[in-house]
Amino acid sequence: MADVVFRRLVAEAGLTGRATSTSAGTGDWHVGEQADHRAIAALSHEGYDGSQHRARQFTPADFERNDLIVALDRTHERILRGWARSEADADKIALLLSFGGGDGDQLDVPDPYYAGPEMFDDVLAMIESACRALFRQLHPAIRAV
């Protein structure tokens, strides 16, 4: 969901091609599959199109291709830091909610998979808020490029 939201922010700012976003998981169990139908529905309710998403696994090359690696929870952050080959790789990793959008000290985006559809809506709202905060911080640098 975060990738879809961030891509729209970039497009709405007229910066498509100047900032890119990709999505990757730390596990390989869903590679090639669409997002959960409840995630696609939550996105659709808010006017997003998540139908083109296909799961892929994070690879070491992602450290080279990206200036920022955004993890949605501390478990994934720890895994990514374990995969980092250098301090420079590790320095690229940040939690999405560290940019804003969480409640107080909450830094993990909850995984709605085992909850009902309404949890996907709640998580999407949290992701939208955090992505807007992240984009506000990145926008001046993207514009200046």
Side-chain angles (χ1 to χ4, degrees), residues 18-66:
R18 301 196 59 192
T20 59
S21 174
T22 61
S23 174
T26 56
D28 66 354
W29 45 89
H30 293 293
V31 169
E33 296 177 13
Q34 269 193 314
D36 185 288
H37 69 279
R38 297 167 296 175
I40 293 172
L43 287 163
S44 180
H45 294 150
E46 297 302 320
Y48 298 98
D49 180 6
S51 66
Q52 300 305 306
H53 172 80
R54 295 296 179 270
R56 72 176 190 84
Q57 187 175 16
F58 187 91
T59 69
D62 287 311
F63 283 115
E64 296 164 22
R65 286 191 293 259
N66 294 286

Side-chain angles (χ1 to χ4, degrees), residues 62-73:
D62 287 311
F63 283 115
E64 296 164 22
R65 286 191 293 259
N66 294 286
D67 296 318
L68 179 64
I69 310 288
V70 179
L72 271 61
D73 66 39

Side-chain angles (χ1 to χ4, degrees), residues 1-122:
M1 289 193 285
D3 180 43
V4 172
V5 170
F6 193 80
R7 284 175 186 256
R8 176 184 282 170
L9 292 170
V10 169
E12 287 176 349
L15 297 170
T16 301
R18 301 196 59 192
T20 59
S21 174
T22 61
S23 174
T26 56
D28 66 354
W29 45 89
H30 293 293
V31 169
E33 296 177 13
Q34 269 193 314
D36 185 288
H37 69 279
R38 297 167 296 175
I40 293 172
L43 287 163
S44 180
H45 294 150
E46 297 302 320
Y48 298 98
D49 180 6
S51 66
Q52 300 305 306
H53 172 80
R54 295 296 179 270
R56 72 176 190 84
Q57 187 175 16
F58 187 91
T59 69
D62 287 311
F63 283 115
E64 296 164 22
R65 286 191 293 259
N66 294 286
D67 296 318
L68 179 64
I69 310 288
V70 179
L72 271 61
D73 66 39
R74 286 174 284 196
T75 299
H76 293 125
E77 179 192 32
R78 276 191 301 274
I79 291 168
L80 291 166
R81 288 189 184 284
W83 290 347
R85 299 160 302 179
S86 67
E87 190 172 320
D89 284 353
D91 287 345
K92 293 180 179 186
I93 302 166
L95 286 164
L96 179 61
L97 293 186
S98 70
F99 297 98
D103 292 329
D105 294 331
Q106 181 177 352
L107 291 177
D108 291 341
V109 174
D111 183 351
Y113 187 78
Y114 294 104
E118 65 283 346
M119 183 65 169
F120 282 82
D121 295 327
D122 294 344

